[in-house]
Amino acid sequence: MATPSGLARIETNGKKKHDNGVCHDDSSAPVRAQTIDELHSLQRKWSAPNTPIKDGAASPFAAALSEEERHRQQLQSISASLASLTRETGPKVVKGDPARKGEAAAKGAPPTPQAHHQHHHPAAPTIAVSDSSLKFTHVLYNLSPAELYEQAIKYEKGSFITSTGALATLSGAKTGRSPRDKRVVKDEAAAQELWWGKGSPNIEMDEHTFLTNRERAVDYLNSLDKVFVNDQFLNWDPENRIKVRIISARAYHSLFMHNMCIRPTDEELESFGTPDFTIYNAGQFPCNRYTHYMTSSTSVDINLARREMVILGTQYAGEMKKGLFGVMHYLMPKRGILSLHSGCNMGKDGDVALFFGLSGTGKTTLSTDHNRLLIGDDEHCWSDNGVSNIEGGCYAKCIDLSQEKEPDIWNAIKFGTVLENVVFDEHTREVDYADKSVTENTRAAYPIEHIPNAKIPCVGPHPKNVILLACDAFGVLPPVSKLNLAQTMYHFISGYTALVAGTEDGIKEPQATFSACFGAAFIMLHPTKYAAMLAEKMQKYGATGWLVNTGWSGGRYGVGKRIRLPYTRKIIDAIHSGELLTANYQKTEVFGLEIPTEIKGVPSEILDPINTWTDKAAYKETLLSLAGLFKKNFEVFSSYKIGDDSSLTDEILAAGPNF
């Protein structure tokens, strides 16, 4: 038999030989493809982007109906999320990449326009008909990391695969959060519940302005040929998890949230239903600067009543992560659950420790311990069930990252990881983590499963130790202090660390930094609310509070030396083991801190900071100066009533420095 070209067909049905001894071709059957596009389509095993229905369908016919109905409801839900408030309808949404339209047809899938007939929308008012209502919006729904890599590399300039397999990308002009452009709708409920005024991170906006920005974001997203939709969870505690939907224009943002949120199983997606909170990330499109409350082309807006967040004018992915954290700071306390900006790990015996600390205090370094399981690096909840990680991934700083200092983070940067704003060699694609050409705030976002000693699921029993970390550049706080409950609340509300100002014509003064609850930028309620909940849970479950100074000893920055990391690790080990619970203590002056007289492996002379200062008068002067800064910072909280009477408030104030 001859082929259309006239050549004889090669037989492939056996390993017989011709009489002349020449072998037949014994390869597998020829590829069933007529064109290179068809061949490429066979390379990727085709699967419908729909979530499989549960087993137990009565017949293939019934299964098809069930799948169609589930598919219809899911598309209807996404369309409703993208609905314009003025036109009261969402776009005609279909699943799949418009670029793969031909591929779908080759595989026997219905053409894109027919997909619309699988679901129905409320009729739009005739006066609202426009060209936008005639187009389809393609939804790329819960794509896998591999699919998102392809989308990013194909369509997003500045996306590359690094030598370790991570996806390097750029966040645009904004390489960090824009806290001054973040707004919260101050409606009647929010006015009563949220923290407003001096020291608060919550900057108000009205409902009308939010809806104006929401309309701008939705119109932009609906104008695109395709949008990315992630349906995911927050909080590993199954009883208290939150369903979130993220609608974005960039594959990079979709992969980032795929990593940072908790990834649902197919079965969980099937019953996902309506989300509890929705993010509209139209960050490539600016806000209208003539809109009320707008101070720049960037606006990050949260409406707690509508359970929505709108992002305009910034492509920095961290806005989504921290925006959701703020929402959890509002939703969880309503359920009696404490939301915490902390690291968390667990020992082999089930002892859990929380680590609070601002940037540079060693929170990530000290909570990452090869002898303990990592529950999470940044955001947690403490409920009556114990502790649970809010997130499904880690967002680590990369500047000056090295394999020697941070091996776990180094090894986590592999396929599936998003690398933001890093610089790499054009040929080898090896990342230069010391290069700050784009920004100093280079970041890696990866699933927590990339950490070898991560505890999955990310939950644990009630904490035994609450560790507050401070990098005291003034050099007057002890390396470790045991805190009573009132002191824990005082230092938790204060959220102290000190930054080194740098050198310019000699050494400048260290700068004290206070961030309430060690995360003032993200809290919604008054700091004393979180502090009271922390004290209640510590008392109920028997946790001990500790203040650990990872900063200077023997003098302030420029005079003394930073406390050696091995000593700090010995201190943390002694807290974990319970050794410090039975140690002998003495009280310091001014701050009234209980400090141990001896810790195994730590020089006893450094435990009381006055011993390490050669100039005792300078020590006392610096100590009083820092105490004054604490008092001044706390003034904004001193008039706030905690509890039914003022006794707890007085107790907390008394736990601060006295001089």
Side-chain angles (χ1 to χ4, degrees):
M1 181 178 175
T3 63
S5 63
L7 298 175
R9 185 182 297 278
I10 298 175
E11 298 294 334
T12 60
N13 57 357
K15 296 186 179 181
K16 295 180 288 185
K17 292 189 176 184
H18 287 294
D19 294 338
N20 60 7
V22 178
C23 288
H24 284 281
D25 183 344
D26 63 352
S27 64
S28 60
V31 175
R32 295 189 301 275
Q34 302 300 313
T35 67
I36 191 68
D37 287 338
E38 285 184 35
L39 184 61
H40 286 164
S41 73
L42 292 173
Q43 182 186 30
R44 299 183 295 273
K45 181 182 178 183
W46 185 75
S47 62
N50 307 324
T51 304
I53 60 170
K54 286 194 172 101
D55 295 330
S59 69
F61 180 70
L65 286 177
S66 299
E67 174 63 17
E68 182 181 354
E69 174 61 18
R70 194 207 59 74
H71 178 69
R72 183 190 70 80
Q73 290 179 359
Q74 191 177 67
L75 289 179
Q76 195 171 38
S77 171
I78 294 170
S79 177
S81 292
L82 281 163
S84 161
L85 297 175
T86 56
R87 292 182 291 280
E88 299 179 355
T89 184
K92 299 177 177 70
V93 294
V94 291
K95 279 191 177 177
D97 187 351
R100 295 181 65 183
K101 189 174 172 183
E103 295 176 23
K107 294 163 186 166
T112 295
Q114 291 182 19
H116 172 57
H117 300 300
Q118 295 177 2
H119 64 286
H120 308 281
H121 295 291
T126 54
I127 57 170
V129 172
S130 67
D131 284 348
S132 64
S133 67
L134 301 178
K135 70 179 284 293
F136 287 88
T137 297
H138 293 255
V139 173
L140 281 70
Y141 182 74
N142 275 39
L143 296 190
S144 67
E147 291 172 306
L148 290 168
Y149 266 56
E150 290 172 6
Q151 289 288 326
I153 291 165
K154 259 184 177 179
Y155 303 113
E156 296 179 10
K157 193 172 182 180
S159 297
F160 300 91
I161 300 176
T162 69
S163 60
T164 63
L167 180 71
T169 188
L170 297 171
S171 67
K174 298 292 178 78
T175 58
R177 289 183 300 105
S178 303
R180 293 180 183 177
D181 296 311
K182 183 182 171 187
R183 303 283 185 272
V184 182
V185 173
K186 191 175 183 180
D187 55 22
E188 191 175 336
Q192 297 298 316
E193 295 174 332
L194 269 56
W195 177 28
W196 304 99
K198 186 179 179 183
S200 167
N202 301 316
I203 306 173
E204 69 176 87
M205 74 185 307
D206 59 33
E207 175 90 4
H208 181 267
T209 304
F210 175 85
L211 296 180
T212 301
N213 283 351
R214 182 194 186 277
E215 197 77 352
R216 192 172 176 94
V218 166
D219 282 347
Y220 170 73
L221 291 167
N222 287 344
S223 74
L224 302 173
D225 286 336
K226 61 187 176 187
V227 295
F228 297 89
V229 175
N230 292 48
D231 280 347
Q232 296 182 265
F233 298 121
L234 298 178
N235 196 355
W236 283 84
D237 178 358
E239 291 181 24
N240 295 292
R241 71 184 184 186
I242 301 296
K243 298 184 293 183
V244 293
R245 172 169 291 165
I246 303 100
I247 305 171
S248 56
R250 291 193 62 180
Y252 143 52
H253 289 152
S254 188
L255 180 57
F256 177 90
M257 294 309 283
H258 170 88
N259 290 345
M260 296 312 303
C261 295
I262 299 165
R263 294 156 288 282
T265 63
D266 284 344
E267 291 73 21
E268 288 170 333
L269 271 182
E270 181 182 338
S271 57
F272 192 86
T274 304
D276 300 312
F277 196 88
T278 302
I279 292 179
Y280 298 94
N281 189 342
Q284 290 167 293
F285 201 68
C287 69
N288 185 341
R289 294 189 64 170
Y290 288 99
T291 307
H292 192 38
Y293 291 101
M294 299 300 102
T295 55
S296 76
S297 59
T298 297
S299 191
V300 179
D301 309 328
I302 293 175
N303 189 325
L304 295 170
R306 289 185 60 89
R307 305 290 174 91
E308 291 180 333
M309 177 179 178
V310 171
I311 299 174
L312 291 163
T314 173
Q315 296 176 64
Y316 181 65
E319 294 286 10
M320 295 183 288
K321 165 190 159 68
K322 290 304 186 184
L324 289 176
F325 189 31
V327 169
M328 293 295 279
H329 268 311
Y330 172 75
L331 295 177
M332 291 297 102
K334 282 178 165 289
R335 302 185 184 186
I337 298 169
L338 177 59
S339 48
L340 302 164
H341 187 211
S342 70
C344 183
N345 66 23
M346 185 178 81
K348 294 180 176 66
D349 297 328
D351 59 296
V352 168
L354 295 173
F355 293 82
F356 295 89
L358 302 178
S359 180
T361 58
K363 180 180 70 170
T364 301
T365 301
L366 295 173
S367 62
T368 304
D369 188 328
H370 291 291
N371 297 316
R372 297 172 66 82
L373 297 174
L374 179 70
I375 293 176
D377 74 325
D378 196 44
E379 303 176 10
H380 292 87
C381 286
W382 188 352
S383 70
D384 290 336
N385 299 328
V387 291
S388 55
N389 190 349
I390 288 175
E391 301 180 299
C394 302
Y395 194 33
K397 290 179 181 176
C398 290
I399 196 67
D400 295 324
L401 180 69
S402 70
Q403 190 170 13
E404 296 73 30
K405 290 181 181 177
E406 299 285 358
D408 285 342
I409 296 174
W410 179 276
N411 293 327
I413 299 174
K414 54 188 178 183
F415 177 80
T417 297
V418 176
L419 277 174
E420 283 182 328
N421 302 315
V422 297
V423 176
F424 52 84
D425 183 276
E426 187 176 15
H427 175 59
T428 65
R429 301 292 168 88
E430 291 181 2
V431 178
D432 181 356
Y433 291 108
D435 195 319
K436 307 173 186 176
S437 298
V438 180
T439 178
E440 191 167 328
N441 188 37
T442 52
R443 296 270 184 166
Y446 48 84
I448 195 164
E449 291 88 348
H450 283 198
I451 299 295
N453 64 329
K455 184 183 182 300
I456 308 294
C458 304
V459 296
H462 298 289
K464 285 181 63 177
N465 295 294
V466 174
I467 301 169
L468 312 182
L469 300 170
C471 178
D472 178 29
F474 293 93
V476 294
L477 289 183
V480 60
S481 316
K482 186 171 74 170
L483 306 176
N484 61 36
L485 212 53
Q487 286 176 321
T488 304
M489 293 178 75
Y490 180 89
H491 287 278
F492 177 71
I493 293 171
S494 296
Y496 164 74
T497 195
L499 304 177
V500 176
T503 57
E504 188 177 321
D505 297 328
I507 303 298
K508 280 191 172 183
E509 295 285 318
Q511 296 178 344
T513 299
F514 297 92
S515 183
C517 309
F518 293 94
F522 321 119
I523 61 178
M524 288 284 191
L525 312 179
H526 195 276
T528 54
K529 298 267 190 186
Y530 302 103
M533 289 184 73
L534 177 63
E536 179 189 359
K537 294 194 181 298
M538 288 179 66
Q539 199 166 30
K540 185 175 180 179
Y541 300 110
T544 306
W546 307 89
L547 179 64
V548 174
N549 174 24
T550 62
W552 271 255
S553 177
R556 66 173 65 215
Y557 171 80
V559 179
K561 293 181 179 178
R562 189 157 189 183
I563 297 168
R564 292 183 59 203
L565 180 58
Y567 293 158
T568 303
R569 287 202 181 277
K570 290 285 185 184
I571 289 168
I572 298 297
D573 289 344
I575 291 173
H576 291 324
S577 69
E579 176 191 334
L580 286 188
L581 289 176
T582 57
N584 295 318
Y585 286 86
Q586 63 184 43
K587 204 167 191 175
T588 68
E589 55 182 345
V590 182
F591 278 88
L593 299 170
E594 297 283 342
I595 58 175
T597 57
E598 190 178 356
I599 300 174
K600 187 177 179 181
V602 181
S604 297
E605 60 270 17
I606 74 167
L607 297 177
D608 188 345
I610 194 171
N611 295 335
T612 63
W613 283 62
T614 53
D615 189 338
K616 308 300 182 188
Y619 165 79
K620 290 190 176 182
E621 182 184 343
T622 308
L623 179 66
L624 291 172
S625 175
L626 180 60
L629 294 174
F630 264 85
K631 282 212 165 194
K632 185 177 180 181
N633 171 72
F634 215 83
E635 285 172 2
V636 71
F637 310 116
S638 59
S639 60
Y640 203 88
K641 184 179 173 183
I642 304 174
D644 297 329
D645 52 47
S646 60
S647 60
L648 185 55
T649 307
D650 294 338
E651 193 177 343
I652 294 171
L653 287 170
N658 292 290
F659 55 99

